[in-house]
Amino acid sequence: MGLEKVKEINLPKILDERGNLSFLEETKHIPFKIERTYWIYDVPGGEVRGGHSYYENEEIIIALSGSFDIVLNDGMIQKVFSLNRSYYGLYVPNGIWRHMENFSTNALGFIVASTKFSANDYERDFEKYLSLTKK
């Protein structure tokens, strides 16, 4: 599975002079059942989050506030996606190496996941990941 499965998702926007609203609905805006959500915040300048791939888990990543870059690698191609709008998400399927970097001050990353947490679902060794993608 390569980067061609990664999708940029425009979430609905309801514009209102009192403030805008966006939302996502399971299986309507995202291609999986939601099993977990988590968020990343207070990332010190220059720090990198992630640095792994998943065997099973799929994710939608949204910058609810601020901005950050998601660097994806499928073993052959590397691509950078910049997230900076709360109505825009990035679908990342399993089998893709990812890390997040260039967090702005007060950035808030919101992640919707297809599986519950399992330490066994992670591949954290990039060299091993590369060897698995060659099969």
Side-chain angles (χ1 to χ4, degrees), residues 48-83:
V48 173
R49 294 295 314 231
H52 55 74
S53 68
Y54 293 109
Y55 293 105
E56 299 295 328
N57 188 52
E58 305 168 70
E59 294 182 331
I60 301 288
I61 304 170
I62 302 167
L64 288 181
S65 181
S67 63
F68 52 87
D69 294 336
I70 302 173
V71 181
L72 301 180
N73 188 315
D74 67 2
M76 295 180 53
I77 299 169
Q78 180 168 293
K79 189 169 182 182
V80 178
F81 294 85
S82 295
L83 297 184

Side-chain angles (χ1 to χ4, degrees), residues 21 29 32 34-35 47 49 94:
L21 181 143
H29 304 112
F32 55 79
I34 298 168
E35 288 292 329
E47 287 297 321
R49 294 295 314 231
N94 56 21

Side-chain angles (χ1 to χ4, degrees), residues 19-38:
N20 301 329
L21 181 143
S22 289
F23 61 93
L24 58 81
E25 294 176 352
E26 184 175 83
T27 68
K28 183 174 182 180
H29 304 112
I30 57 176
F32 55 79
K33 182 177 182 320
I34 298 168
E35 288 292 329
R36 176 173 52 121
T37 60
Y38 62 96

